[in-house]
């Protein structure tokens, strides 16, 4: 039976934390319980600060639960793109940040003996379009300039032939939810306050920050927005600086774990990896990524995904990523004692981890060499993409608010119930 849910939430034993019921006061309030928020809190253990993390649902059950769980620095053609957009120094600094993030995850897993299916694999970027070969070779040349050992060829690790590919051997995959659940346990044991099913409705700056839920308030000296998409527009102006990209994922059973992950060098994107649960081996496939303002027919995209698979999957689900014009995240200070981390450009495992280090360093008044690279207030390049983002976000917003009946879903109407988007099936002509 095919489950319409993420494989990461299958057979997970999870004990929820209580909802925050009383007015409270803390030094640091972290809003969001994905890898970003958990990583920041982890880095603040033994800091002497009174830290609170709140999550509107369950820890890790948001965007983190919908990822592919890749921990890699080989990310399409990011380095040559950064070189062209900025310079070689920027590209190298981003590479360093991703490698540091990989080491941080490895060290946390080793030090805490976390069972999260962490596995060393090769990562590939490939193409079946001859026009893309030159671009991949440019990426290879730049990585080699950065002292990275890069392999090239015309076959993947499972002997599938491609027009051209490059690969590296020192990357990883893991189970992101198992990782987060263990870190949550560690945080609680070390005095970090965690509250689930606690939604922050507003944040006001007075003598301190006043964050309001539906029933109480939280006072804090510092506020960190570690949510997927922050609710506010000012001061970051996120709708101008980003757009939303949706992807469609699946996991189907296979006989062998080839221990590699791969991604195409350009759209249409295909991204895969393997997962060995002990009971079964799955191959995960992500495809059909698109700006949600265009071609937003979910049913058609899922049909395209299923058509690409050799067998019926055990799991299918979708995910949304926030994309910035220059493909760099926004991580850092946006106001006095207010921080944000968002727009990971589909590479959330490494970027959320490095965000945890950058923001915790800032809170503790430590230097971090990546703070300027990811500065949310940096001058964005290429500037011509900003009007496109505005149009995309306005189109998506209007469509979601006005168009209640999506043409690709028969007899389904969408309504907002208690803050959640709910699809209501219409069985008759008069009632939903």
């Amino acid at each position: 039976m095919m489950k319409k849910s993420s494989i990461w939430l299958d057979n997970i034993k999870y004990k929820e934390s209580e909802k925050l019921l009383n007015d409270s006061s803390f030094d640091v309030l972290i809003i969001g319980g994905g890898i970003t928020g958990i990583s920041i809190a982890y880095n603040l253990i033994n800091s002497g600060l009174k830290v609170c993390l709140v999550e509107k649902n369950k820890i890790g059950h948001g965007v983190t639960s919908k990822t592919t769980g890749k921990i890699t620095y080989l990310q399409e053609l990011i380095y040559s793109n950064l070189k062209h957009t900025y310079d070689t120094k920027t590209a190298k600094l981003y590479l360093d940040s991703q490698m540091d993030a990989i080491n941080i995850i490895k060290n946390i897993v080793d030090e805490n003996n976390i069972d999260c299916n962490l596995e060393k694999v090769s990562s590939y970027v490939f193409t079946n379009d001859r026009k893309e070969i030159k671009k991949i070779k440019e990426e290879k040349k730049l990585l080699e300039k950065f002292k990275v050992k890069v392999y090239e060829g015309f076959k993947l690790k499972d002997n599938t032939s491609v027009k051209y590919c490059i690969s590296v051997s020192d990357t990883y995959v893991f189970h992101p939810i198992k990782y987060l659940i263990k870190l949550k346990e560690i945080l609680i044991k070390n005095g970090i306050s965690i509250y689930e099913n606690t939604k922050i409705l507003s944040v006001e700056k007075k003598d301190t920050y006043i964050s309001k839920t539906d029933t109480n308030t939280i006072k804090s000296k510092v506020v960190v927005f570690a949510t997927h998409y922050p609710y506010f527009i000012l001061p970051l102006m996120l709708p101008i600086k980003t757009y939303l990209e949706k992807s469609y994922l699946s996991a189907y059973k296979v006989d062998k774990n080839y221990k590699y992950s791969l991604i195409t060098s350009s759209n249409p994107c295909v991204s895969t990896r393997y997962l060995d649960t002990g009971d079964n081996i799955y191959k995960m496939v992500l495809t059909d990524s698109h700006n949600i303002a265009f071609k937003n027919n979910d049913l058609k995209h899922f049909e395209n995904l299923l058509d690409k698979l050799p067998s019926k999957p055990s799991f299918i689900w979708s995910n949304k990523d926030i994309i910035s014009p220059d493909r760099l995240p926004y991580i850092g200070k946006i106001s006095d004692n207010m921080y944000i981390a968002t727009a990971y450009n589909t590479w959330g495992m490494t970027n959320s981890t490095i965000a945890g280090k950058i923001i915790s360093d800032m809170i503790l008044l430590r230097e971090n060499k990546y703070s300027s690279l990811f500065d949310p207030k940096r001058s964005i390049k290429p500037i011509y993409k900003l009007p496109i983002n505005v149009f995309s976000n306005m189109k998506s917003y209007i469509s979601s608010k006005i168009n209640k009946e999506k043409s690709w879903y028969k007899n389904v109407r969408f309504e907002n119930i208690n803050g959640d988007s709910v699809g209501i099936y219409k069985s008759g002509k008069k009632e939903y």
Side-chain angles (χ1 to χ4, degrees):
M1 178 180 176
M2 182 173 68
K3 297 181 180 180
K4 297 179 181 179
S5 60
S6 168
I7 191 172
W8 304 125
L9 299 178
D10 192 53
N11 294 322
I12 289 295
K13 295 180 180 179
Y14 185 78
K15 182 179 179 181
E16 289 187 43
S17 295
E18 63 183 9
K19 179 178 180 178
L20 180 62
L21 299 175
N22 303 312
D23 291 348
S24 304
S25 181
F26 297 92
D27 294 315
V28 180
L29 172 64
I30 300 168
I31 304 171
I35 288 189
T36 302
I38 293 291
S39 297
I40 295 167
Y42 182 86
N43 290 328
L44 293 177
I45 290 174
N46 298 325
S47 66
L49 297 173
K50 189 178 180 183
V51 179
C52 173
L53 184 148
V54 297
E55 164 58 42
K56 69 176 182 178
N57 295 312
K58 299 177 184 178
I59 297 296
H61 282 53
V63 173
T64 300
S65 70
K66 299 175 181 179
T67 177
T68 55
K70 293 182 180 181
I71 310 171
T72 179
Y73 61 85
L74 194 64
Q75 303 171 3
E76 300 163 276
L77 305 179
I78 183 66
Y79 303 107
S80 48
N81 287 338
L82 287 175
K83 177 186 174 182
H84 294 315
T85 302
Y86 292 106
D87 48 40
T88 302
K89 181 180 178 181
T90 300
K92 177 60 165 64
L93 194 58
Y94 181 75
L95 172 65
D96 290 346
S97 76
Q98 303 305 287
M99 289 185 162
D100 279 355
I102 292 172
N103 287 327
I104 289 170
I105 293 173
K106 284 171 51 187
N107 290 337
I108 290 175
V109 170
D110 291 342
E111 290 170 4
N112 297 284
N113 194 28
I114 300 176
D115 178 12
C116 60
N117 303 86
L118 183 69
E119 185 174 40
K120 189 174 184 179
V121 299
S122 298
S123 286
Y124 288 79
V125 171
F126 80 99
T127 187
N128 279 315
D129 182 353
R130 292 189 181 278
K131 295 178 182 177
E132 287 290 306
I133 294 177
K134 182 178 179 181
K135 295 178 183 178
I136 300 178
K137 287 188 174 182
E138 181 184 356
E139 187 81 350
K140 175 179 180 289
K141 184 178 180 180
L142 188 57
L143 284 166
E144 289 175 334
K145 183 177 181 178
F146 297 155
K147 309 301 181 184
V148 175
K149 178 64 177 177
V150 186
Y151 304 88
E152 65 178 344
F154 305 95
K155 284 187 177 181
L156 306 177
K157 206 169 182 180
D158 62 357
N159 287 322
T160 299
S161 295
V162 295
K163 294 297 183 184
Y164 183 72
C165 65
I166 61 173
S167 65
V168 296
S169 60
D170 52 345
T171 59
Y172 294 80
V173 293
F174 75 155
H175 193 304
I177 301 304
K178 288 183 180 180
Y179 177 74
L180 277 191
I181 288 174
K182 184 61 179 179
L183 286 188
K184 176 190 169 184
E185 294 174 2
I186 293 169
L187 294 180
I188 292 173
K189 288 179 180 178
N190 283 275
I192 304 294
S193 298
I194 294 181
Y195 298 97
E196 296 178 84
N197 300 303
T198 302
K199 184 177 182 178
I200 301 298
L201 301 177
S202 66
V203 178
E204 299 176 4
K205 177 67 183 294
K206 295 185 178 179
D207 294 334
T208 60
Y209 285 101
I210 308 296
S211 302
K212 296 182 180 180
T213 72
D214 57 345
T215 58
N216 49 58
T217 61
I218 306 170
K219 293 183 179 180
S220 63
K221 298 175 184 177
V222 175
V223 171
V224 181
F225 289 93
T227 57
H228 179 55
Y229 198 106
Y231 69 87
F232 54 81
I233 294 178
L234 297 173
L236 187 57
M237 298 298 292
L238 202 62
I240 294 177
K241 296 180 178 180
T242 63
Y243 70 87
L244 285 169
E245 181 178 280
K246 192 167 187 176
S247 303
Y248 302 82
L249 300 92
S250 66
Y252 63 94
K253 293 179 182 178
V254 292
D255 295 327
K256 183 177 179 179
N257 180 1
Y258 283 96
K259 297 188 177 182
Y260 74 81
S261 69
L262 66 82
I263 194 166
T264 48
S265 60
S266 63
N267 288 327
C269 175
V270 176
S271 175
T272 71
R273 62 153 290 190
Y274 290 84
L275 171 67
D276 187 345
T277 65
D279 297 321
N280 295 291
I281 299 172
Y282 294 92
K283 186 173 183 178
M284 298 172 58
V285 177
L286 175 152
T287 189
D288 262 36
S289 301
H290 64 90
N291 185 324
I292 66 169
F294 309 104
K295 300 180 181 179
N296 199 11
N297 184 326
D298 290 1
L299 185 59
K300 180 63 176 177
H301 288 297
F302 275 118
E303 288 174 349
N304 290 341
L305 169 62
L306 294 174
D307 286 344
K308 291 179 172 70
L309 305 179
S311 61
K312 186 176 180 179
S314 300
F315 303 88
I316 61 168
W317 68 100
S318 64
N319 191 23
K320 289 180 182 177
D321 289 290
I322 302 177
I323 310 298
S324 65
D326 58 5
R327 295 284 168 156
L328 291 173
Y330 300 120
I331 303 169
K333 180 183 288 188
I334 55 174
S335 186
D336 289 342
N337 291 322
M338 179 182 283
Y339 303 89
I340 195 169
T342 189
Y344 294 151
N345 298 284
T346 78
W347 301 105
M349 299 301 94
T350 47
N351 281 315
S352 60
T353 300
I354 205 65
K357 187 68 171 70
I358 294 169
I359 291 178
S360 60
D361 280 348
M362 287 182 165
I363 292 170
L364 297 172
L365 303 179
R366 296 172 179 166
E367 292 291 325
N368 189 293
K369 68 177 182 178
Y370 305 120
S371 58
S372 60
L373 176 68
F374 299 125
D375 186 353
K377 297 181 180 180
R378 67 182 181 270
S379 297
I380 301 299
K381 295 181 181 180
I383 195 71
Y384 71 83
K385 288 189 177 182
L386 298 183
I388 299 173
N389 291 337
V390 175
F391 171 77
S392 297
N393 282 295
M394 287 183 64
K395 185 176 185 297
S396 301
Y397 179 82
I398 293 170
S399 176
S400 65
K401 296 300 180 183
I402 296 177
N403 183 16
K404 299 296 184 183
E405 298 191 48
K406 317 298 185 188
S407 60
W408 54 90
Y409 288 121
K410 294 182 180 179
N411 301 322
V412 176
R413 180 178 178 86
F414 286 82
E415 296 285 355
N416 189 287
I417 299 177
N418 296 325
D420 295 318
S421 181
V422 178
I424 305 170
Y425 176 70
K426 181 175 69 173
S427 58
K429 293 184 178 180
K430 294 183 179 180
E431 296 181 356
Y432 284 90

